[in-house]
Amino acid sequence: MERLTAVYHLRVPAGSADARATGIAVEQSVEMPVAAVTDPAILRDIVGQVESVTDLGSGVFEARIGLSVATTGLEAGQLLNMLFGNSSMHPDITLADAEFPDTVLNAFGGPRHGLAGLRKMAGAEGRAMTCSALKPQGSDARTLALLAGRLSKGGLDFVKDDHGIADQHYSPFAERVPRIAEAMAANGKTIYLPSLSGHLEQMRSQVEIARAAGVKAVLIAPMIAGLATFHALLRDNPDIAFMGHPAMAGSGQIAPPFLFGKLFRLLGADAVVFANHGGRFGYSPATCRTLADTALRPWGTLDAAVPVPAGGMTLARVAEMLQFYGKDVMLLIGGDLLSAGTRISEEAARFQDEVVRHSEAL
Amino acid sequence: MERLTAVYHLRVPAGSADARATGIAVEQSVEMPVAAVTDPAILRDIVGQVESVTDLGSGVFEARIGLSVATTGLEAGQLLNMLFGNSSMHPDITLADAEFPDTVLNAFGGPRHGLAGLRKMAGAEGRAMTCSALKPQGSDARTLALLAGRLSKGGLDFVKDDHGIADQHYSPFAERVPRIAEAMAANGKTIYLPSLSGHLEQMRSQVEIARAAGVKAVLIAPMIAGLATFHALLRDNPDIAFMGHPAMAGSGQIAPPFLFGKLFRLLGADAVVFANHGGRFGYSPATCRTLADTALRPWGTLDAAVPVPAGGMTLARVAEMLQFYGKDVMLLIGGDLLSAGTRISEEAARFQDEVVRHSEAL
């Protein structure tokens, strides 16, 4: 029976690391006293196995635990349940990483568009890409469409809905999305990513509305939608690119490089928005580097997911960010562009120009 | 425009508490520089408002922030997004509580069965209830049905699937659930709660299979399924009772009394499983007390949700747990009962008898 390896970091006293690792192996598999498991096949194939416990220093131990692939049912929600469901309740345990056999990679399949597909979609071969966001929520469809047209006029590659824009009465999805898509198409060739919300049925109808309006990509927050919903939508809509938003991703109990760079990518995210260092959120440069590397590195037959550092970024940081991330990135600047008011097309054009220019120098 | 009040705990230096509270108010609403918001209606109605910042001592500040109800779209996933989506990425912020106006209570509606309904279903008027779990995963349908029959013979009120039992090849839902339901009905009147997994469409078909097998209640992990999926299933299946499982609830970034006692209850959980103090997880007695009180207390027109303390509980703790929680509770003992092997019907009967007897003394 095939296993995946889940990697946990335990912040526990040295004397208890082995016992805690064994506890996790049981918790994340049979969840009952192993002595009471009588079926030898379950003891052999299903009960989690501690592969190693390593002292990483500073009071942190790495536990590598082999979990049965069969228990995941190769279903996205259950995969997360088996990796971290009950153990998420322990404040001294983080899910640092996981290594998956080909069975898992092939079952979920990864990005349908990925880095190469988004570049092609945007006409951005060989360079970094740009993205901005439509804000603030509370605006009506007409106002958002006006803003979208101005951003598109500036020549940006992508513009997404703010992740707080859902299907509210002041700007219903069915009214907003066609108007915004039309305004953007009339002013340029920027690709619009409307934000999906609700459950699978609601999101499916939102995708239909978006597709009918010529939309080629969408934004979704997988940790709010549920991973099963996220994966089902992706699989059923291969023509649409999916950008994953980090809402409800938590503050590190699931390591961001694993969550965004590996798990979201495995399930099919073509691009992953995450909190860049030095912005409004607390990720370190090292975490951001590892996250981007993980999203991009060769991984079986899976395409690369585009890292999208964001969260309080400014035009002043474009050169530095491209130095840090290289060309295989999409820079997302929202609020800072919007502060330009009526000069927003010019600011968007400056953002686009700087990204193109600095990309050439890389 | 109506507001809800979200209550955050900030573990920040005293000098920065006010600024951080203002930051959260912006992050959880317009998510852009407020100076760049030009629409006076958005400034007045949509931008989050800091209502108060209070020093709770020990380096913790309570920030009460008024958020526009309209931004939630009265949709469960978006409600969570607005309460905590981006702020979940800050390690020094927890979502401690939220207070909702009647608009929100009425939109989501709370339990359809609740404490009174589950008692009636189980014939458990005026007393605490019992529950056990079918384990280990990896067992086939025949084995689980045999175990279920034995537990039912012992006279338990409820028996649920282990939350790790999903729709795996070794025990597919469509085969397992009818067999287990049949075995339980043949041996007693215990109510079976099969575990739902996957996305909305998959869960809907699982509910259909369960209903056809005479099942009256199900188990679901809302933080894995997604809150929108959870709420849609509940609303569409008023005849079925829903027990919420805490998988992926995290280690306190969302305060457990709020998450289980309020948010899950608001969305319709009839019973909420949580980690009892003194078991495998780290909740304190005070947290458990507040959680149970929150789930049970009068709240608009919403029915009470049954607190279900669990996680490494034993028969030896029945009296103590009932002293602690009183009668308005369901005790869940899984692994400890299963350790009884072939004597499990007798152990189940002893569990049931002790709960009935100690309930009478309360």
Side-chain angles (χ1 to χ4, degrees):
Chain A
M1 291 282 270
E2 219 168 8
R3 290 181 184 265
L4 59 87
T5 299
V7 184
Y8 304 93
H9 284 181
L10 322 182
R11 191 168 288 280
V12 298
S16 66
D18 287 344
R20 288 298 297 278
T22 303
I24 297 171
V26 174
E27 188 74 51
Q28 295 306 126
S29 59
V30 291
E31 208 198 320
M32 65 178 282
V34 175
V37 176
T38 53
D39 184 337
I42 293 178
L43 287 167
R44 186 187 64 226
D45 297 334
I46 301 292
V47 175
Q49 290 176 344
V50 178
E51 296 172 358
S52 64
V53 178
T54 308
D55 187 345
L56 300 181
S58 311
V60 178
F61 293 81
E62 177 191 88
R64 296 174 60 87
I65 295 178
L67 298 175
S68 156
V69 168
T71 64
T72 72
L74 297 175
E75 187 276 299
Q78 176 66 3
L79 176 64
L80 183 61
N81 192 22
M82 289 296 94
L83 286 171
F84 205 45
N86 274 5
S87 292
S88 79
M89 287 184 275
H90 286 293
D92 50 6
I93 300 177
T94 59
L95 175 61
D97 195 8
E99 289 158 18
F100 303 108
D102 285 348
T103 311
V104 174
L105 301 196
N106 295 337
F108 294 107
R112 271 64 172 168
H113 302 267
L115 176 63
L118 291 187
R119 273 204 173 121
K120 196 168 174 188
M121 206 179 264
E125 306 294 338
R127 65 165 172 86
M129 293 176 275
T130 60
C131 186
S132 190
L134 300 176
K135 307 182 183 195
Q137 65 162 315
S139 306
D140 60 20
R142 192 189 59 80
T143 305
L144 292 171
L146 190 68
L147 174 61
R150 287 175 175 165
L151 287 167
S152 185
K153 199 167 173 185
L156 295 178
D157 297 317
F158 296 88
V159 166
K160 70 173 187 65
D161 281 346
D162 178 29
H163 88 287
I165 295 181
D167 195 21
Q168 298 103 335
H169 72 80
Y170 44 70
S171 180
F173 190 98
E175 180 194 347
R176 176 178 88 249
V177 171
R179 286 184 81 145
I180 292 172
E182 187 185 9
M184 284 172 61
N187 284 280
K189 51 194 181 60
T190 304
I191 293 154
Y192 171 42
L193 303 105
S195 179
L196 307 183
S197 64
H199 54 63
L200 180 61
E201 202 167 67
Q202 291 166 325
M203 287 185 172
R204 277 187 176 151
S205 87
Q206 288 163 10
V207 169
E208 290 311 312
I209 291 165
R211 183 186 283 111
V215 164
K216 291 182 271 187
V218 296
L219 178 76
I220 181 170
M223 299 306 279
I224 290 179
L227 296 188
T229 303
F230 174 49
H231 184 62
L233 270 178
L234 272 161
R235 195 189 39 213
D236 296 348
N237 295 284
D239 59 324
I240 305 284
F242 281 73
M243 176 183 279
H245 189 278
M248 285 311 301
S251 63
Q253 240 202 315
I254 303 179
F258 170 68
L259 182 62
F260 300 108
K262 226 174 201 183
L263 191 56
F264 285 8
R265 179 184 176 192
L266 173 69
L267 300 184
D270 298 296
V272 288
V273 180
F274 65 95
N276 194 32
H277 60 93
R280 294 198 308 277
F281 300 90
Y283 291 1
S284 69
T287 295
C288 294
R289 165 84 64 210
T290 308
L291 195 166
D293 288 350
T294 306
L296 292 167
R297 78 162 61 113
W299 190 25
T301 60
L302 271 60
D303 284 341
V306 184
V308 188
M313 296 302 101
T314 61
L315 277 179
R317 290 190 60 184
V318 165
E320 169 245 312
M321 287 174 74
L322 291 179
Q323 279 296 329
F324 186 86
Y325 288 104
K327 289 183 202 187
D328 296 341
V329 72
M330 184 189 298
L331 300 190
L332 168 53
I333 301 182
D336 187 52
L337 273 190
L338 299 179
S339 298
T342 52
R343 286 194 63 264
I344 195 161
S345 294
E346 291 79 353
E347 280 293 280
R350 190 156 77 84
F351 175 27
Q352 185 73 18
D353 290 348
E354 290 207 15
V355 168
V356 171
R357 187 161 52 84
H358 287 289
S359 282
E360 278 165 9
L362 290 173
Chain B
M1 291 284 271
E2 219 169 7
R3 289 181 186 264
L4 61 88
T5 299
V7 184
Y8 304 92
H9 285 181
L10 322 181
R11 191 168 287 280
V12 299
S16 66
D18 286 344
R20 288 298 297 277
T22 303
I24 297 171
V26 174
E27 189 74 52
Q28 295 307 127
S29 59
V30 292
E31 208 196 320
M32 66 178 280
V34 175
V37 176
T38 53
D39 183 337
I42 292 177
L43 288 167
R44 185 186 66 225
D45 297 332
I46 302 292
V47 176
Q49 290 177 344
V50 178
E51 296 172 358
S52 64
V53 178
T54 309
D55 187 345
L56 300 180
S58 311
V60 178
F61 293 80
E62 177 192 89
R64 296 173 60 86
I65 295 176
L67 298 174
S68 157
V69 168
T71 63
T72 72
L74 297 175
E75 187 275 299
Q78 175 67 2
L79 175 64
L80 183 61
N81 192 21
M82 289 297 93
L83 286 171
F84 204 46
N86 274 6
S87 293
S88 80
M89 286 183 275
H90 286 293
D92 50 5
I93 299 176
T94 59
L95 175 60
D97 195 9
E99 290 157 17
F100 302 108
D102 285 347
T103 311
V104 175
L105 301 196
N106 296 336
F108 293 106
R112 271 65 171 168
H113 301 266
L115 175 64
L118 291 189
R119 274 205 172 119
K120 196 169 173 185
M121 206 179 261
E125 306 293 339
R127 66 165 172 85
M129 292 175 276
T130 60
C131 186
S132 191
L134 300 176
K135 307 183 182 194
Q137 64 163 315
S139 307
D140 61 20
R142 193 189 58 80
T143 305
L144 292 170
L146 190 67
L147 174 61
R150 287 175 175 165
L151 287 167
S152 185
K153 200 169 174 185
L156 295 178
D157 296 318
F158 296 88
V159 166
K160 70 172 187 66
D161 281 346
D162 178 30
H163 87 289
I165 296 182
D167 195 19
Q168 298 102 336
H169 72 79
Y170 44 70
S171 180
F173 190 97
E175 182 195 347
R176 176 178 88 249
V177 171
R179 286 185 80 144
I180 292 172
E182 187 186 6
M184 285 173 61
N187 284 280
K189 51 195 182 57
T190 303
I191 293 155
Y192 171 43
L193 302 105
S195 179
L196 306 182
S197 64
H199 54 63
L200 180 61
E201 202 167 67
Q202 292 165 325
M203 287 186 173
R204 278 187 175 149
S205 86
Q206 289 163 10
V207 168
E208 290 311 312
I209 290 165
R211 183 186 282 110
V215 164
K216 291 183 272 187
V218 296
L219 179 76
I220 180 170
M223 299 307 280
I224 290 179
L227 295 187
T229 303
F230 173 50
H231 184 62
L233 270 178
L234 272 161
R235 197 187 37 214
D236 295 348
N237 296 283
D239 58 323
I240 304 284
F242 282 72
M243 176 183 279
H245 188 279
M248 284 311 299
S251 64
Q253 240 203 316
I254 303 180
F258 170 68
L259 182 62
F260 300 108
K262 225 172 201 184
L263 191 56
F264 285 8
R265 179 184 175 190
L266 173 69
L267 300 183
D270 297 296
V272 289
V273 180
F274 65 95
N276 194 32
H277 61 92
R280 295 198 308 275
F281 301 91
Y283 292 3
S284 68
T287 296
C288 294
R289 165 85 65 211
T290 308
L291 195 166
D293 288 350
T294 306
L296 292 167
R297 76 162 61 115
W299 191 24
T301 60
L302 271 59
D303 284 341
V306 184
V308 188
M313 296 302 101
T314 60
L315 277 180
R317 289 191 61 184
V318 165
E320 168 246 313
M321 289 173 74
L322 291 179
Q323 279 297 330
F324 186 86
Y325 288 103
K327 291 184 202 188
D328 295 342
V329 72
M330 185 189 297
L331 300 191
L332 168 52
I333 301 182
D336 187 53
L337 274 189
L338 300 179
S339 298
T342 52
R343 288 193 63 265
I344 195 160
S345 294
E346 290 79 355
E347 280 293 280
R350 190 156 77 86
F351 176 27
Q352 185 72 18
D353 291 347
E354 290 207 15
V355 167
V356 171
R357 187 162 53 85
H358 287 289
S359 282
E360 279 164 9
L362 290 173

